[in-house]
């Protein structure tokens, strides 16, 4: 027996399939590795900036265009502010980009194993997608994306595999694919990937999305940014203005500027994360794990004989929280 539709809900509501975020448990002393947060705190300059912005001016709406922040990001990357878009976390930017660029007659292409928000937004916006399989070593093979499409999106480095594709491979795809937007989600690029930001002037259909959540230790602040041709940025502004004109509050704008400007803190904490990653990978290899080569702040690993679910439960009992995906090909990985 099927339950009758709830008349209170919008048409098509039952088709929505929300993203399941990694668990945020309220347990003390948990070693929390399941959502790829940064173990180090944000720059002290970020805390200062939030304190200074915490005053009577909070009665006023924030700058809807986040101009100071866009200027700071543009300066750091040697670009103009018209090539920078900011949003309430890069998840929001991805949503606006899917709405602005990927609602097409031809299908969107994305890897079968990648950030699980991509299929969520496809359902939300009614976008038909083709999931392009990773190769047998869990790598994105960009040559497989040289086919008819209404857009291409992938994470580089990819999540949850941690594996990066090279800029040369990306540029080969961009040369072959000029009629649709190629969105590269660089959430983890600061831990060892090659950023595509340097290519945006040459390829007006390339949009690069980054976040302050991982490498700037600010997952709680909710700030992400996109870099691309001013035409793409203007399209994102149109979608944003149709949804929420003030996505970044005053504290977030002030803090994000401070985070972008503290280059020394950023470099030092990223390097410490990379060193810890390599030490952990070596230890896991010694224990017999298969560890995929990571250019991120996490590792994707499986054991040849101990099932992933058993490892997950055992680690949890020890106060170590990791992530596991009940999906084909990767269900034994943590
Ligand atoms: C964490 C993550 C994001 C989202 O980051 P926010 O800026 O916190 O919304 C986007 N893409 C990938 C691949 C991520 O892992």
């Amino acid at each position: 027996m099927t339950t009758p539709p709830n008349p209170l809900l919008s048409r098509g509501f039952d088709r929505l399939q929300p993203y399941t975020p990694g668990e945020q448990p309220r347990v003390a002393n948990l070693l929390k590795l399941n959502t790829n947060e940064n173990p180090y705190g944000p720059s002290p300059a970020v805390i200062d900036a939030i304190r200074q912005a915490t005053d009577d001016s909070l009665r006023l709406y924030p700058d809807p265009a986040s101009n100071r922040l866009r200027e700071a990001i543009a300066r750091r990357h040697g670009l103009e502010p018209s090539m920078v878009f900011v949003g309430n976390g890069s998840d929001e930017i991805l949503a606006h980009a899917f709405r602005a660029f990927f609602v097409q007659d031809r299908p969107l292409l994305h890897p079968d194993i990648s950030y699980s928000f991509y299929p969520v937004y496809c359902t939300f916006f009614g976008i038909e997608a083709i999931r392009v399989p990773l190769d047998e070593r869990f790598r994105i093979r960009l040559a497989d994306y040289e086919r008819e499409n209404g857009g291409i999106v992938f994470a580089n480095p990819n999540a949850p595999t941690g594996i990066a594709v090279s800029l040369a491979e990306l540029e080969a795809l961009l040369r072959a694919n000029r009629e649709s937007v190629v969105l590269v989600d660089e959430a983890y690029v600061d831990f060892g990937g090659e950023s595509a930001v340097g290519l945006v002037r040459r390829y007006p259909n390339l949009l690069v999305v980054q976040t302050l959540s991982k490498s700037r230790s600010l997952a709680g602040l909710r700030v992400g940014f996109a870099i691309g041709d001013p035409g793409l940025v203007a399209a994102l502004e149109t979608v944003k203005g149709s949804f929420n004109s003030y996505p970044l509050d005053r504290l977030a704008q002030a803090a994000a500027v401070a985070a972008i400007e503290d280059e020394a803190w950023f470099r030092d904490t990223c390097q410490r994360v990379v060193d810890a990653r390599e030490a952990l990978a070596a230890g896991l290899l010694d224990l017999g794990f298969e560890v995929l080569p990571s250019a991120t702040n996490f590792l994707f690993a499986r054991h040849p004989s101990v099932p992933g679910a058993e490892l997950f439960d055992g680690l949890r009992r020890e106060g170590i929280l990791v992530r596991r995906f009940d999906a084909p090909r990767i269900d034994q990985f943590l």
Side-chain angles (χ1 to χ4, degrees):
M1 214 181 77
T2 55
T3 41
N6 180 344
L8 301 180
L9 300 177
S10 293
R11 210 182 324 117
F13 183 91
D14 54 343
R15 285 198 297 272
L16 298 182
Q17 292 175 338
Y19 176 73
T20 313
E23 188 188 354
Q24 297 288 352
R26 293 165 199 262
V27 181
N29 299 324
L30 206 59
L31 188 52
K32 189 174 175 304
L33 304 177
N34 66 329
T35 54
N36 304 338
E37 289 141 327
N38 200 308
Y40 306 108
S43 153
V46 166
I47 313 301
D48 276 352
I50 293 175
R51 280 208 187 94
Q52 277 178 35
T54 306
D55 61 18
D56 183 60
S57 68
L58 282 173
R59 69 196 172 78
L60 301 171
Y61 281 104
D63 172 10
S66 297
N67 278 313
R68 277 190 58 217
L69 176 56
R70 288 173 45 232
E71 283 158 17
I73 294 166
R75 227 176 2 255
R76 179 170 188 272
H77 292 281
L79 301 164
E80 294 81 54
S82 62
M83 303 180 81
V84 180
F85 180 83
V86 297
N88 186 241
S90 56
D91 285 341
E92 184 184 74
I93 298 174
L94 293 172
H96 291 347
F98 275 55
R99 180 65 185 83
F101 309 122
F102 296 154
V103 184
Q104 302 277 355
D105 295 331
R106 289 161 297 168
L108 174 70
L109 307 180
H110 67 75
D112 63 339
I113 298 167
S114 193
Y115 188 37
S116 40
F117 230 123
Y118 306 150
V120 170
Y121 286 143
C122 286
T123 309
F124 190 63
F125 294 117
I127 296 166
E128 188 208 333
I130 294 178
R131 298 173 182 229
V132 182
L134 301 185
D135 74 8
E136 68 290 343
R137 289 162 64 195
F138 299 99
R139 292 171 307 187
I140 294 175
R141 200 164 37 198
L142 286 183
D144 294 347
Y145 293 72
E146 292 184 23
R147 54 189 284 181
E148 200 176 50
N149 68 79
I152 295 172
V153 59
F154 60 95
N156 189 36
N158 196 17
T161 62
I163 300 174
V165 297
S166 71
L167 270 195
E169 291 167 90
L170 172 61
E171 204 168 357
L173 174 69
L174 288 165
R175 275 196 295 267
N177 189 94
R178 296 181 183 268
E179 301 296 318
S180 69
V181 169
V182 176
L183 194 167
V184 184
D185 179 352
E186 293 189 340
Y188 299 103
V189 75
D190 297 320
F191 301 106
E194 292 178 282
S195 176
V197 164
L199 297 178
V200 292
R201 284 192 203 274
R202 256 178 294 153
Y203 299 96
N205 62 327
L206 169 65
L207 189 72
V208 180
V209 176
Q210 294 191 4
T211 175
L212 274 63
S213 295
K214 279 54 181 251
S215 58
R216 306 268 176 182
S217 305
L218 285 169
L221 195 70
R222 312 305 306 131
V223 179
F225 59 91
I227 290 181
D229 184 79
L232 299 185
V233 170
L236 290 171
E237 290 289 349
T238 298
V239 175
K240 166 195 162 235
S242 311
F243 180 73
N244 176 7
S245 337
Y246 302 103
L248 265 67
D249 61 67
R250 300 180 81 90
L251 306 186
Q253 291 185 33
V257 169
I260 295 293
E261 288 180 344
D262 194 343
E263 191 72 24
W265 184 273
F266 162 74
R267 286 190 188 283
D268 178 54
T269 49
C270 284
Q271 190 56 53
R272 284 156 67 174
V273 170
V274 168
D275 293 345
R277 175 189 77 208
E278 293 308 310
L280 178 61
L284 289 171
L285 286 170
D286 281 347
L287 289 171
F289 279 85
E290 175 192 355
V291 184
L292 300 191
S294 171
T296 64
N297 65 347
F298 58 85
L299 293 170
F300 205 47
R302 69 180 160 190
H303 196 273
S305 54
V306 189
E310 197 175 303
L311 286 165
F312 182 94
D313 292 339
L315 285 166
R316 207 189 150 99
R317 278 195 298 277
E318 298 292 325
I320 301 171
L321 187 54
V322 298
R323 191 114 186 244
R324 202 175 79 78
F325 298 88
D326 245 325
R329 292 176 74 195
I330 57 168
D331 57 337
Q332 298 308 318
F333 276 90
L334 304 174

